Every structure is written in C-alpha cells, then in structure tokens.
C-alpha cells in the first residue's frame, strides 16, 4: 500500500497534493465562474453551486483527469475509476455560507464506500476564508445519523447535520495553497465555516468511484470513465464535452441533474432544482 493510501485508510484523508500551478488554479477558477455565469441552469444545483462542471466545461473535464489526482485515486480505489460528480464550491467574499458537520455518503444513494472526494483549491483557502475541517479517523466509526435543519446559510441541500458533538481540538484545518488538493473518505466527518475575507474561496470537488459501486436510490445514475475499464455497467457513461456548453453537453448535464435529484432528495416532497 502506498503511503498516501495508508494515510487515507487510517486517517480518512490526505493533503496537500500538488495538482496545478497557482496560476493554472486561479485561471481555472475564473474560467468556471465565467461558465457558471454564462449558464445559470448549471448553477441551479446545491443552493446555487455549479454542479457537474466536468460535463460542460473542457477545462473542468481536463482537470478531473489530471494524472496526480488519478494516481492518488488509483492507489485507493484500484485501476478502474469513474468520475461520479464534481461541484464548484464558491464562497463569495464575506459570505455567511457554511457547511455543517456531515458525511458525504450518508445521502448520495450509493451502496458502497469505494469513493474518494478530491477538493482542489482554485485560490487561497484558509481558516479565515472558510476552509474544510476534518475529524481524523471519523470514517472508521459507526454510521452517524443526520438531521435535516434547512438552515438558511447552510450550503448543504437539506441543511443536514450529523448528530455528533465535535470537539474543535479533535479537528484538522484543511488550509491549501492555490492548486493544492485534499482527499477525503465518504464517511469522514467534515465541515467548513463562513468566508470572512475579501477574496472568493473557490474549490472544485471531484468524486471518484470504483465501477462496482451501485446507485441504490435513483433509477438511473451517470458517471464518466477516466481510467481503466468498467465491467459492471452500473452507470450510464457520460462523454467529456467536445466544447464548452455544447448542445450535447448541456443535454447530458440536464439529464444528470434531474436523475441525481431523485437520489439526493429521496424521501422529501416539494423540492426541486437543488441537489446535494
Ligand atoms: Ni461533503
């Protein structure tokens, strides 16, 4: 087992990984904000967050295939890798938006934990700007219940909060330089605070899964093969976009948003247009 996979297995996370140069990271952040602004429906996901940019943006499609990220994912998931999701998490200057303590896999409808989230900093990410906090080893405990709060400033779709009391002394701050990434396990407890700085806090999350995982809630689910093969066929394969915001790419994007809403909002009535 590689050192990276060893740390991931023990702690539930690993960082920093050097993925992009600072200049490339800042340029990608600007590019994704531009595409988000060009296509408002793309930003209808998770409370205005830009969902699945890798389906409609060439630059995002390239970065999800970055060899540093795929090598890291391979050391944890094995040689066959799909991208199940991506999200641009943009906190505006002095935004009160925060993310409560939660475990990702609690509410995605996936039937296994062969998932790795990579969070790539597209600008400086500090405690003051609302970086993530992790609870080391929390992925190893029993599954934790979550309560839907629908709190206004909570960036999660249901305002869901894990039913735990976290001692700040037990947490790790995930401060990153532009272009660095962190990896976290789908059962790791994590949260992030508001942005108290004059700068945007921009991060791109990419969710990698192994192809044997199944979607257990939604009727159909989608993913993009980025390394190896898929002999399971549990996901409809989505091609990378030929050009930014192409008609075909936009059609895929709409299909995915609607289908994954079914999984994320399972058990809720009267909600639409928001996921995760
Ligand atoms: Ni999360």
């Amino acid at each position: 087992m590689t050192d990276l996979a060893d740390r991931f297995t023990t702690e539930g996370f690993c960082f920093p990984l050097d993925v992009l140069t600072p200049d490339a990271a800042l340029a990608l952040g600007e590019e994704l904000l531009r595409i988000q602004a060009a296509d408002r429906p793309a930003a209808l996901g998770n409370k205005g967050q830009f969902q699945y940019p890798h389906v409609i943006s060439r630059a995002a499609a390239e970065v999800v295939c970055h060899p540093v990220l795929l090598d890291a994912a391979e050391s944890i998931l094995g040689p066959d890798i799909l991208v199940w999701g991506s999200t641009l998490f943009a906190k505006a200057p002095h935004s009160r938006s925060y993310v409560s303590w939660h475990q990702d896999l609690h509410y995605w409808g996936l039937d296994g934990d062969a998932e790795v989230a990579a969070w790539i900093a597209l600008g400086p990410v500090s405690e003051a700007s609302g970086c993530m906090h992790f609870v080391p080893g929390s992925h190893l405990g029993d599954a934790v219940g979550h309560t839907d709060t629908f709190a206004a400033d909570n960036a999660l779709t249901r305002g869901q909060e894990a039913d735990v009391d976290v001692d700040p002394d037990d947490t790790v701050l995930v401060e990153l330089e532009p272009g660095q990434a962190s990896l976290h396990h789908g059962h790791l407890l994590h949260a992030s605070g508001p942005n108290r700085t004059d700068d945007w806090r921009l991060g791109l999350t990419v969710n990698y899964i192994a192809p044997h995982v199944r979607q257990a809630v939604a009727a159909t689910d989608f993913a993009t093969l980025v390394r190896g093969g898929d002999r399971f066929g549990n996901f409809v394969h989505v091609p990378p976009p030929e050009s930014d915001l192409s008609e075909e790419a936009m059609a895929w994007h709409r299909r995915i948003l609607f289908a994954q809403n079914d999984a994320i909002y399972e058990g809720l009535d009267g909600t639409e247009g928001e996921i995760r």
Side-chain angles (χ1 to χ4, degrees), residues 225-242:
L225 184 67
V226 287
R227 184 171 275 186
D230 175 2
R231 57 196 172 82
F232 294 90
N234 294 335
F235 296 86
V236 177
H237 283 203
V238 181
E242 286 188 0

Side-chain angles (χ1 to χ4, degrees), residues 22-249:
D23 283 350
L26 296 173
L28 179 60
E30 283 178 18
E31 165 79 356
L32 293 182
L33 286 177
R34 186 186 64 76
I35 289 184
Q36 173 173 306
D39 180 53
R40 297 309 302 167
L44 283 181
N46 192 7
K47 299 193 173 175
Q49 279 146 2
F50 181 3
Q51 302 277 333
Y52 310 104
H54 69 287
V55 175
I56 60 173
S57 152
R58 288 286 315 153
E62 263 175 44
V63 81
V64 304
C65 293
H66 195 290
V68 169
L69 294 174
L70 293 186
D71 289 350
E74 179 169 351
S75 72
I76 296 161
L77 300 174
D80 301 324
I81 304 172
L82 301 169
V83 170
W84 178 75
S86 64
T87 306
L88 180 68
F89 284 104
K91 282 184 191 166
H94 302 284
S95 159
R96 293 192 302 177
S97 176
Y98 70 95
V99 172
S100 50
W101 289 106
H102 70 283
Q103 295 169 312
D104 293 335
L105 287 172
H106 186 80
Y107 52 102
W108 287 352
L110 300 177
D111 75 347
D113 67 357
E115 185 264 351
V116 177
W119 199 106
I120 310 154
L122 303 182
V125 176
S126 63
E127 180 176 25
S129 71
C131 72
M132 284 194 292
H133 301 228
F134 291 157
V135 181
S138 53
H139 64 303
L140 298 171
D142 294 335
V144 176
H146 288 60
T147 302
D148 295 340
T149 71
F150 297 99
D153 290 327
N154 191 325
L156 298 178
T157 38
R158 301 174 178 218
Q160 57 270 54
E161 287 184 19
D163 304 328
V164 290
D165 284 323
V166 173
D167 182 340
D169 289 344
D170 293 339
T171 67
V172 169
L173 286 176
V174 191
E175 296 190 306
L176 299 168
E177 300 293 331
Q180 291 185 328
S182 61
L183 304 178
H184 68 267
H185 188 284
H187 289 147
L188 187 78
L189 281 167
H190 59 287
S192 70
N195 181 1
R196 302 189 304 274
T197 71
D198 295 333
D199 299 315
W200 281 81
R201 196 228 57 175
L202 287 180
L204 176 67
T205 303
V206 187
N207 305 105
Y208 296 102
I209 58 173
H212 65 80
V213 170
R214 283 177 180 275
Q215 171 55 254
V217 176
T220 310
D221 206 351
F222 300 83
T224 299
L225 184 67
V226 287
R227 184 171 275 186
D230 175 2
R231 57 196 172 82
F232 294 90
N234 294 335
F235 296 86
V236 177
H237 283 203
V238 181
E242 286 188 0
S243 60
D244 289 344
L245 300 165
S246 73
E247 208 171 300
E248 188 188 355

